[in-house]
Amino acid sequence: MNEVVVDLSRLQFAITALYHFLFVPLTLGLSVILVIMEAVYVMTGRVIWRDMVKFWGVLFGINFAMGVATGITMEFQFGTNWAYFSHYVGDIFGVPLAIEGLMAFFLEATFVGLFFFGWERLSKLQHLLVTTMVAIGSNFSALWILIANGWMQNPVGAKFNPTTMRMEVTDFYAVIFNEVAQAKFVHTVSAGYVTGAMFVLAISAWYLLRGRHRAFAVRSMTVAASFGLASALSVVVLGDESGYAATEHQKMKLAAIEAEWETQPPPAGFNVLAWPDMEKRENAFELKVPWVLGLIATRSLSREVLGINDLVARAKVRVRHGLRAYRALQRLRRDPADKAAIRELRVFDHTLGYALLLKRYRTDIENATPAEIEKAAWDTVPDVLTLFWSFRIMVGLGFYFIVLFGIAFILSARRAFERHRWFLWLAFVSLPLPWVAAELGWIVAEYGRQPWIIEGVLPTFLGVSEVSVGQVAFSLVGFIVFYTVLAVADVYLMVKYARLGPDAYLGVDTNARARERVPVLASAIET
Amino acid sequence: MVPPIDYETLKIIWWLLLGLLLVGFMVTDGFDMGAGALLPFAGRNDEERRLIINTVGPVWEGNQVWFVLGGGAIFAAWPPLYALAFSGFYVAMFLVLAALIVRPVSFVFRSKNKDPRWRAIWDGGLFVSGIVPPLVFGIAMGNVLQGVPFRLTEDLRPVYEGSFAGLLNPFALLCGLLALAMVIQHGAAWLVLKTEGDVARRARHFGAVAGVGAVALFAICGAIVWAGLVEGYVIRAGAAPGAEANPLAKTVAREAGAWAANLNAAPGKWLGPLVGLLGLGVAAFLLQFKRGRLALVASGLGIAGVIATPGLAMFPFILPSSSNPSMSLTVWDASSSHLTLFLMLIATLVFMPLIIAYTSWVYYVIRGKVSLEALLASRESY
């Protein structure tokens, strides 16, 4: 295993995944907002709502193209850079990816063309149906990707097969209804909805600050305010659910997020602020609120939240058990009919991954020394400092969104946006924040899973392909250059169209059209 | 749960389905890549190029999903192939990815700015992304037929032992050109169907030339394999069709003429090359008579026949190893587990008819020639 290849491959995956996720949340959120706006148009016949769909639609289209383009990298990068991972878990992990294509990506990609090209060829209801399919496709897409990702966090419904040397599906129902996957899905799409709502809110606020497109902006903000408030509430509540799922399945990640080195007597106190020191394995300072962590994490007063030190001790036992599974596997290779070895493997195979952590220190891991086992056990601790702060900033932003959209909702109900310019400024400058929160969320989820590529099953460094440093460096530099150019073009077009505004883009005066209507019933079925 | 269909049958079904996916990709995305490849030749000014781009504007995105789905399906059905091929062909794969990344943005970004330099950049993107994928896929297929140098460790870790330059051997390059020629003819047929005037006239011309070229290249590649200049592979022992998948449990020999012998062993398999030759040839002929729709069908069939040919000739091999033939990947020992193949089949049976239905509806909605006036009047066009 070449350490440099591992590090470069991880860096490339992190960069391309975080970059891809700049576009995904906006697609998720904006697609639903487009459906809402178009539904209002079809139901009321008010033309300005069609203008809104068309204008936000063009921004959606630019973003969508970037999402599709960067998603292609993700679909194939498992094979190019994580070949052993692909072999080891493809039997399970490949399935949700393939179903994502069948059920979701085909749907959104096929209908997104008609969303743009179908205005003149479809009736209003048909076009609304098309827009709805794009939104459903995008959201289903997220579902299947998060089922795949959830399985990496909590690998249920699968078993190691010594004949094929890989994990294989035993219970697909468990894979789909994996608690972690379901919690992640609702949390992630809610985050996307917040992003979409913020995008519409911020740009509309900017129009109002400039005194442009009044009717258009106020209506857009009304949709964004109510949709955003509901989404911001659900992203926090469902994020809590996601965290609760983590306490059940990923105790180490939770302990790292909370910088809890020692197990506290229940109910555990919550570190509001702390400065974790990885070397000394303690917090340089901490500000603790009693009881809160125990209440959030276990939803009880009596259950413990295990600290890092205790979890490492547990990992040490698992490494030893894993070695028994590994030795049994070696014996099976020599004699596939060895009954004792089959039994031994069956008992300990769920810990096999822990033994594989030792591969970092020697190839003949069956001869590992106690010191190496100790090191391997400590390897199961992710980067506490990064997790602790990423998580806190993300959660802080989550609460901020509730407040911001709460105010927006009140102002919208009172039709008072324009009288509160401070709020319009606040909404405008808050534009980048959902992206910050979403990226930090992925850092918590993925960086927090380290050292595992599949939690407890396969260490990340073993998942990598047998490629050279030169090859990975080539693709990494290629992606960085390429993605930077695309980012410049994307931002340029986004800003260009946002500044252009709906009137110039559509060639109409949206204010004058605010009261214009088309007959509702007859028009719904005509083009 | 024990699936109600036996393992061997499922392995064969998935071999067929993955073949169909590949055909689906080359036939649907093929014509829009072909249109991209023809962009600078069939479209001589900005308006003509816009016309070409907008013929595929509403559908290219759905077409490209065949590629993404193909990747996902290989991952799920043949994990060892997914692992080996994409890490082995690392640089080639990066080129394809780069092309397919630049493609969506080129379509969407191109006409959103009037600056001719801006448009030239994205036209370039569409051209390159129309050329590179078929070329690389053809080259990859050419290498697969010859076998690729790789081994598997005891833990089944795939190790590719060749180089990028090694992929660019003469036979593989011929296969690359063949794929490119097919796609260009296919794209030309699409343009003849969807446009009128100068663009259609030029497309007819280039398409017929590409079609004749494709027929010739297919015949040459076939002759090379037939003559045994490209060696085939034969399973000597092991690789029982119903066995659990481990590619290390068999013995394979290299043998000149093995691929041709496979075709002869089941004469029905000759349908593949026959349909390939006829389809490509007839399409070139039909283009001369401005029969865009029929030419599109014929070249689509031709592409299907050409893709089926190596598949049928190699069965049950999917990726032979030239350096360690016994480690070759075959349908029997590189598939997913019994349960996974079954579940994936159910998912495919549920969703594929839906996909075909709504995709057909989209093509129905956008039927007819694309007119320059309409696309210039629309704000949503590319």
Side-chain angles (χ1 to χ4, degrees):
Chain A
M1 227 54 52
N2 185 328
E3 292 278 340
V4 183
V5 170
V6 174
D7 289 345
L8 288 180
S9 297
R10 284 183 61 191
L11 185 62
Q12 179 176 305
F13 198 93
I15 289 174
T16 52
L18 289 174
Y19 189 78
H20 177 52
F21 213 74
L22 290 175
F23 310 103
V24 174
L26 187 56
T27 296
L28 287 172
L30 212 45
S31 66
V32 177
I33 291 177
L34 290 176
V35 172
I36 295 172
M37 289 174 172
E38 193 167 351
V40 174
Y41 165 60
V42 172
M43 285 188 293
T44 65
R46 292 188 187 278
V47 182
I48 191 169
W49 289 88
R50 186 183 62 198
D51 295 341
M52 286 157 67
V53 178
K54 285 197 170 187
F55 179 70
W56 295 115
V58 69
L59 297 176
F60 172 80
I62 295 167
N63 178 72
F64 189 84
M66 291 292 285
V68 168
T70 54
I72 289 171
T73 314
M74 305 316 299
E75 182 89 7
F76 290 89
Q77 198 169 190
F78 300 110
T80 53
N81 291 75
W82 301 95
Y84 197 63
F85 161 86
S86 303
H87 153 74
Y88 205 77
V89 299
D91 196 73
I92 310 110
F93 189 82
V95 177
L97 286 200
I99 296 181
E100 187 261 348
L102 279 167
M103 181 177 176
F105 192 33
F106 248 118
L107 196 64
E108 59 175 320
T110 304
F111 282 108
V112 80
L114 272 197
F115 174 80
F116 293 105
F117 286 80
W119 286 107
E120 310 300 321
R121 290 173 178 257
L122 297 171
S123 72
K124 289 178 180 57
L125 272 179
Q126 281 176 328
H127 195 279
L128 175 60
L129 181 76
V130 164
T131 313
T132 311
M133 288 302 140
V134 174
I136 291 177
S138 308
N139 281 271
F140 269 138
S141 188
L143 172 67
W144 288 101
I145 296 306
L146 290 164
I147 286 174
N149 180 266
W151 190 79
M152 294 168 79
Q153 317 278 353
N154 179 34
V156 288
K159 196 157 176 57
F160 179 74
N161 181 343
T163 311
T164 57
M165 278 300 293
R166 67 185 179 197
M167 300 294 289
E168 292 183 352
V169 170
T170 54
D171 181 358
F172 194 58
Y173 185 86
V175 175
I176 295 181
F177 293 98
N178 183 353
E179 198 189 350
V180 174
Q182 295 300 327
K184 277 177 108 62
F185 167 63
V186 285
H187 177 59
T188 308
V189 294
S190 303
Y193 298 164
V194 170
T195 311
M198 183 66 88
F199 183 79
V200 171
L201 191 78
I203 295 175
S204 304
W206 185 68
Y207 290 149
L208 288 186
L209 284 170
R210 291 296 193 85
R212 295 167 63 193
H213 321 300
R214 219 200 126 261
F216 180 98
V218 168
R219 282 166 181 76
S220 297
M221 284 182 89
T222 303
V223 173
S226 41
F227 184 59
L229 180 59
S231 310
L233 284 169
S234 70
V235 82
V236 172
V237 173
L238 299 168
D240 174 55
E241 197 61 38
S242 187
Y244 184 66
T247 60
E248 292 299 306
H249 303 287
Q250 289 182 292
K251 295 191 163 61
M252 183 61 89
K253 184 190 275 183
L254 180 85
I257 282 172
E258 302 303 349
E260 200 195 24
W261 297 93
E262 287 295 340
T263 308
Q264 309 172 42
F270 177 76
N271 288 325
V272 182
L273 299 174
W275 194 260
D277 185 331
M278 285 296 278
E279 296 294 317
K280 292 192 188 143
R281 295 170 182 169
E282 62 180 34
N283 296 332
F285 91 94
E286 55 187 33
L287 175 64
K288 228 180 189 68
V289 184
W291 284 37
V292 174
L293 176 58
L295 287 174
I296 300 174
T298 69
R299 295 181 188 168
S300 82
L301 291 171
S302 53
R303 273 182 292 160
E304 283 182 332
V305 181
L306 283 180
I308 291 169
N309 292 331
D310 282 336
L311 289 168
V312 169
R314 210 164 69 171
K316 218 182 308 179
V317 176
R318 288 188 179 168
V319 175
R320 290 183 197 285
H321 286 174
L323 279 173
R324 295 182 67 171
Y326 188 81
R327 289 193 198 101
L329 190 60
Q330 301 289 80
R331 270 154 53 206
L332 273 179
R333 279 218 184 111
R334 286 191 293 274
D335 174 16
D338 185 337
K339 289 242 169 59
I342 292 173
R343 262 199 310 277
E344 178 96 347
L345 183 63
R346 204 171 292 153
V347 174
F348 292 109
D349 62 1
H350 64 286
T351 53
L352 181 61
Y354 282 83
L356 296 178
L357 286 169
L358 289 162
K359 290 260 181 188
R360 193 176 203 170
Y361 303 110
R362 62 194 304 157
T363 43
D364 55 336
I365 59 172
E366 57 274 31
N367 304 319
T369 64
E372 285 165 340
I373 291 175
E374 173 89 18
K375 270 201 277 188
W378 274 99
D379 284 347
T380 60
V381 184
D383 182 343
V384 180
L385 182 68
T386 309
L387 286 187
F388 182 88
W389 284 103
S390 300
F391 181 77
R392 270 154 190 74
I393 297 169
M394 174 185 76
V395 172
L397 286 172
F399 283 108
Y400 171 73
F401 297 141
I402 294 179
V403 174
L404 184 80
F405 283 109
I407 298 172
F409 187 75
I410 294 167
L411 293 180
S412 142
R414 293 181 175 178
R415 301 170 188 277
F417 281 125
E418 283 148 301
R419 276 180 278 136
H420 297 84
R421 290 182 69 84
W422 63 271
F423 178 79
L424 298 177
W425 276 113
L426 189 67
F428 178 62
V429 298
S430 298
L431 177 60
L433 297 181
W435 279 272
V436 175
E439 300 282 301
L440 287 173
W442 277 113
I443 288 171
V444 170
E446 301 299 281
Y447 199 47
R449 195 191 56 235
Q450 301 307 322
W452 303 106
I453 193 164
I454 306 286
E455 173 78 32
V457 169
L458 188 68
T460 307
F461 67 89
L462 281 182
V464 81
S465 300
E466 291 287 321
V467 289
S468 68
V469 174
Q471 284 176 317
V472 188
F474 163 76
S475 63
L476 178 60
V477 171
F479 275 122
I480 290 174
V481 171
F482 199 41
Y483 276 11
T484 307
V485 172
L486 291 184
V488 171
D490 176 69
V491 171
Y492 164 75
L493 281 183
M494 279 287 195
V495 172
K496 175 185 160 165
Y497 275 83
R499 292 173 80 117
L500 189 65
D503 290 8
Y505 171 66
L506 296 166
V508 295
D509 180 353
T510 47
N511 275 334
R513 261 149 81 105
R515 302 258 159 247
E516 199 176 302
R517 290 175 74 156
V518 291
V520 177
L521 266 183
S523 69
I525 45 173
E526 287 163 11
T527 55
Chain B
M1 122 180 218
V2 179
I5 306 176
D6 72 80
Y7 198 13
E8 178 180 351
T9 312
L10 278 168
K11 286 175 182 172
I12 297 173
I13 289 174
W14 271 100
W15 174 80
L16 279 169
L17 284 177
L18 287 165
L20 283 176
L21 276 180
L22 189 59
V23 169
F25 165 62
M26 287 298 277
V27 167
T28 59
D29 216 20
F31 71 73
D32 60 57
M33 290 191 295
L38 285 168
L39 189 62
F41 305 107
R44 295 285 162 81
N45 57 42
D46 185 59
E47 286 186 344
E48 287 179 354
R49 284 192 286 273
R50 269 193 90 172
L51 189 67
I52 293 173
I53 291 166
N54 279 280
T55 62
V56 292
V59 292
W60 66 269
E61 199 142 19
N63 294 345
Q64 192 158 317
V65 180
W66 286 97
F67 176 69
V68 176
L69 178 59
I74 291 175
F75 199 171
W78 291 339
L81 178 71
Y82 179 86
L84 215 158
F86 296 156
S87 63
F89 300 161
Y90 192 87
V91 174
M93 200 59 207
F94 178 78
L95 294 178
V96 172
L97 289 182
L100 291 176
I101 289 168
V102 87
R103 199 168 166 69
V105 284
S106 297
F107 274 111
V108 176
F109 287 7
R110 183 210 183 263
S111 296
K112 290 197 161 47
N113 190 344
K114 289 202 167 58
D115 186 344
R117 283 166 304 174
W118 171 274
R119 291 190 170 184
I121 291 173
W122 303 112
D123 282 347
L126 288 172
F127 173 68
V128 171
S129 65
I131 300 267
V132 170
L135 208 52
V136 172
F137 291 136
I139 289 172
M141 200 64 227
N143 280 288
V144 170
L145 270 167
Q146 300 171 77
V148 172
F150 73 83
R151 66 186 162 86
L152 300 166
T153 68
E154 201 182 26
D155 299 329
L156 295 185
R157 176 179 291 278
V159 183
Y160 181 71
E161 296 171 314
S163 64
F164 177 61
L167 296 176
L168 305 175
N169 56 72
F171 176 74
L173 288 173
L174 282 177
C175 294
L177 288 177
L178 165 60
L180 182 60
M182 294 193 310
V183 159
I184 290 176
Q185 165 166 266
H186 199 47
W190 173 259
L191 291 179
V192 170
L193 173 65
K194 298 297 281 188
T195 65
E196 282 167 325
D198 287 344
V199 170
R201 186 176 49 75
R202 292 186 204 117
R204 249 186 1 253
H205 171 68
F206 288 115
V209 172
V212 171
V215 169
L217 284 162
F218 187 44
I220 293 169
C221 291
I224 291 173
V225 176
W226 180 253
L229 296 173
V230 166
E231 287 185 315
Y233 296 76
V234 184
I235 299 177
R236 290 274 183 248
E244 288 192 290
N246 186 325
L248 296 182
K250 66 176 176 309
T251 318
V252 169
R254 282 177 80 142
E255 207 175 273
W259 294 153
N262 276 346
L263 287 186
N264 289 333
K269 287 183 174 181
W270 277 99
L271 214 58
L274 201 67
V275 170
L277 274 179
L278 273 178
L280 296 178
V282 169
F285 187 72
L286 287 166
L287 276 179
Q288 290 305 309
F289 292 93
K290 308 184 188 177
R291 305 300 295 269
R293 189 189 308 270
L294 284 177
L296 192 69
V297 172
S299 66
L301 282 172
I303 289 173
V306 170
I307 292 175
T309 302
L312 292 166
M314 290 172 59
F315 184 88
F317 285 90
I318 47 182
L319 185 60
S321 169
S322 56
S323 53
N324 302 276
S326 293
M327 296 180 178
S328 299
L329 304 184
T330 71
V331 174
W332 310 132
D333 59 16
S335 290
S336 280
S337 67
H338 195 173
L339 182 56
T340 292
L341 291 185
F342 177 70
L343 293 168
M344 288 278 301
L345 178 63
I346 300 296
T348 309
L349 289 178
V350 171
F351 290 110
M352 197 42 83
L354 285 173
I355 291 169
I356 291 169
Y358 60 67
T359 303
S360 308
W361 183 67
V362 169
Y363 279 83
Y364 172 74
V365 170
I366 60 142
R367 69 193 177 279
K369 305 263 185 202
V370 176
S371 83
L372 195 58
E373 297 73 50
L375 87 88
L376 290 178
S378 157
R379 271 161 233 288
E380 278 77 21
S381 62
Y382 291 145

